[in-house]
Amino acid sequence: MFDQRFFVEGLAHASYLIGAGGEAAVVDPKRDVNDYLETAQREKLKIVAVLETHPHADFVSGHVELAQRTGAKIYISHLAPARYDRVPVRDGDVIRVGPLEIVVLETPGHSPDSLCFLVREGGRPASLFSGDTLFAGDVGRPDLRDAEEKPTALAAALHDSLFRKLLALPDDLKVYPAHGCGSLCGRKISSAPFTTLGQERLCNWALQIKDRDEFTRRMVENLPDRPAYFAHDVQVNLAGARPLAELPEPPPLSEDELKAAAARGTVVIDTRNAAFFGAGHFPGSLNIGLSSNLFSTWVGFLVPFGKPIALIVGSAESAKKARLELARIGYDQVIGFLEADALTRTEQLSQLGVNDLHFALRRGEAPHLLDVRTVGEWDAEHIEGATHIPLPTLPRRLGELPKAAPLAVICGSGYRSSSAASLLQAQGFPRVQNVMGGMNAYSEAQAPPWQPSDLVFIGENI
């Protein structure tokens, strides 16, 4: 059997092409589908099936476009209220791809309509494509479809799917999940590209909680923040996304066109790094650096779904990359881009060095500190007296901050804090600084040398 994994960094999304005997299936495809078509052609395989483990919340699937371009059938749970041409499948159904038998397993829990696909080769179990039900080191969170079903009910269903169905399969069965480390669809997902049921039975933290009631309670506790776009992407995937090739390339904009668009409510995202943004940026723009794999995730947290977006970029190539990353989460309304060198009217965002921060804190002259890291990062280490507001929650908690006072924003590296500081500046906070290097640099930096004015002399022979 041929199999190949395709991994999207940032979203930590894994999809797969499997095949034998001249035929192939794609499991949980990403929106940009050319990779599958090129691989299938190279391997002399015809894609005849597109397998959706569930309607995804964190990314837009390319299932409908892939089916249109290959003639393949889309297989998804009979419980999914999909609005495209598909084959609704039930527990125990068998999908044939060349000599491969793909057995449908209904595994509700992460969503009401979750499936796993058990591949049999020569009559023997060969691999399990577990979607968001079972990850390496983790299991799927049960709250992303809470508008349809209570998370506690889904958590209880997840227990049954794992312990009564998946763990009844052989321990040496290879498991290929839909996400890796960094995905918001779990909490402690490993970076391993695959696992086995035996490995998960022994080491997966969630599979050690065998009591159903305790499992249900633990699954709905301390869940990470989720972007608001998740709910929209489920609906996009149930309808079937517009083919990526049909999206227009973002055109170049003039500065006057950008200004007019911003006045109409377009969100302007500056994709450069914090230092370049700080040195000069379009007034009111939001700094979300494209250099991070989490670019699309932070856009999803900070920019309302469906809003038109204009990009400030370092180059036209960066505009193409940003447009793809945004399309992968369904942010299709990119009206154009402007290269930063063309800006003539800019404002600055002050950058505060960690040595200066150490000195200001020692002198009692530091600005009000806002820490936008996660709860876990804050608990591990933080600066005494700082205010803690994780970045995903900042847009709705601006009222907790003193608007007129000097404000310095810190994170782990300076990336998230620049996004937060740009948001505050755009919302009218007049005295905002970004702490360069974040807590990583702050913790490594030595406190600056004592100045003569700082010394207190006691006696004459010192």
Side-chain angles (χ1 to χ4, degrees):
M1 180 177 77
F2 173 83
D3 64 84
Q4 183 167 330
R5 179 178 185 253
F6 302 83
F7 193 69
V8 177
E9 300 285 353
L11 295 174
H13 164 222
S15 56
Y16 305 88
L17 186 146
I18 59 173
E23 293 187 341
V26 178
V27 185
D28 290 331
K30 56 194 174 80
R31 189 170 187 183
D32 41 314
V33 300
N34 284 343
D35 287 348
Y36 313 116
L37 298 172
E38 292 167 3
T39 302
Q41 183 179 34
R42 185 180 67 245
E43 299 297 327
K44 296 180 173 54
L45 296 169
K46 177 178 174 54
I47 297 173
V48 298
V50 180
L51 311 179
E52 286 283 285
T53 58
H54 62 294
H56 301 279
D58 58 314
F59 69 94
V60 169
S61 174
H63 55 314
V64 171
E65 179 179 359
L66 190 56
Q68 290 172 348
R69 293 176 65 177
T70 62
K73 294 180 179 179
I74 302 172
Y75 297 85
I76 193 168
S77 170
H78 66 101
L79 297 173
R83 300 186 294 279
Y84 51 79
D85 189 23
R86 80 279 188 195
V87 179
V89 292
R90 298 174 180 270
D91 196 70
D93 285 352
V94 177
I95 303 161
R96 287 179 169 79
V97 176
L100 304 177
E101 294 181 334
I102 303 175
V103 182
V104 176
L105 305 178
E106 291 192 56
T107 52
H110 173 69
S111 69
D113 40 26
S114 286
L115 302 175
C116 293
F117 295 103
L118 175 64
V119 180
R120 292 181 177 273
E121 189 173 17
R124 298 175 58 83
S127 54
L128 179 73
F129 293 88
S130 60
D132 289 16
T133 299
L134 177 63
F135 301 122
D138 202 359
V139 297
R141 58 191 289 180
D143 65 316
L144 299 185
R145 300 279 288 279
D146 53 5
E148 302 164 60
E149 193 163 340
K150 290 181 178 179
T152 50
L154 284 174
L158 180 61
H159 180 277
D160 295 345
S161 294
L162 293 166
F163 286 93
R164 297 183 184 179
K165 189 164 289 185
L166 296 191
L167 291 183
L169 297 169
D171 273 357
D172 61 355
L173 185 65
K174 283 188 175 181
V175 178
Y176 296 93
H179 289 291
C181 180
S183 168
L184 293 174
C185 293
R187 285 176 279 198
K188 301 178 181 180
I189 306 177
S190 164
S191 60
F194 68 90
T195 184
T196 65
L197 279 179
Q199 173 74 11
E200 297 311 303
R201 190 193 306 275
L202 289 173
C203 302
N204 189 308
W205 72 277
L207 298 185
Q208 311 314 306
I209 310 170
K210 296 179 174 59
D211 180 79
R212 193 171 188 261
D213 290 339
E214 183 186 357
F215 181 94
T216 299
R217 177 179 59 80
R218 294 278 297 278
M219 288 304 107
V220 296
E221 290 179 346
N222 303 316
L223 290 165
D225 293 305
R226 56 177 172 172
Y229 84 84
F230 274 24
H232 297 283
D233 273 12
V234 170
Q235 296 307 313
V236 170
N237 286 324
L238 286 170
R242 183 180 178 185
L244 187 61
E246 292 183 7
L247 297 183
E249 290 290 341
L253 302 173
S254 69
E255 190 170 12
D256 286 340
E257 288 173 326
L258 181 65
K259 185 177 180 181
R264 294 191 300 268
T266 294
V267 177
V268 181
I269 300 176
D270 192 316
T271 65
R272 297 173 298 155
N273 67 36
F276 283 113
F277 179 85
H281 56 269
F282 182 81
S285 58
L286 188 62
N287 182 215
I288 307 177
L290 187 59
S291 61
S292 168
N293 289 331
L294 296 176
F295 168 76
S296 60
T297 298
W298 288 119
V299 172
F301 271 120
L302 300 175
V303 178
F305 187 86
K307 290 279 284 186
I309 292 171
L311 302 169
I312 303 290
V313 295
S315 68
E317 280 302 309
S318 293
K320 291 181 180 179
K321 180 181 178 184
R323 179 256 198 180
L324 174 59
E325 295 301 320
L326 293 171
R328 282 173 169 164
I329 62 169
Y331 280 61
D332 292 351
Q333 304 302 317
V334 180
I335 67 163
F337 70 93
L338 178 65
E339 292 191 41
D341 287 345
L343 288 170
T344 62
R345 300 181 293 274
T346 62
E347 63 183 5
Q348 295 181 328
L349 177 64
S350 175
Q351 306 291 304
L352 179 62
V354 291
N355 286 332
D356 292 332
L357 178 58
H358 271 292
F359 186 69
L361 287 167
R362 193 179 65 208
R363 294 291 298 267
E365 299 171 353
H368 187 90
L369 269 175
L370 170 64
D371 190 323
V372 296
R373 296 174 302 153
T374 66
V375 172
E377 290 172 298
W378 168 269
D379 288 343
E381 179 186 25
H382 62 266
I383 298 172
E384 186 177 354
T387 296
H388 181 225
I389 302 179
L391 180 56
T393 68
L394 182 60
R396 62 179 182 269
R397 297 178 62 183
L398 296 176
E400 300 176 27
L401 297 170
K403 197 160 192 176
L407 191 61
V409 190
I410 194 167
C411 67
S413 67
Y415 178 92
R416 287 169 289 174
S417 57
S418 187
S419 296
S422 70
L423 174 64
L424 293 168
Q425 191 178 60
Q427 293 298 314
F429 285 75
R431 304 168 69 188
V432 183
Q433 293 179 292
N434 177 48
V435 179
M436 294 184 292
M439 282 297 296
N440 295 338
Y442 179 85
S443 300
E444 292 176 1
Q446 297 285 333
W450 288 94
Q451 303 296 321
S453 58
D454 297 323
L455 297 176
V456 177
F457 293 93
I458 302 175
E460 296 181 354
N461 299 317
I462 299 179

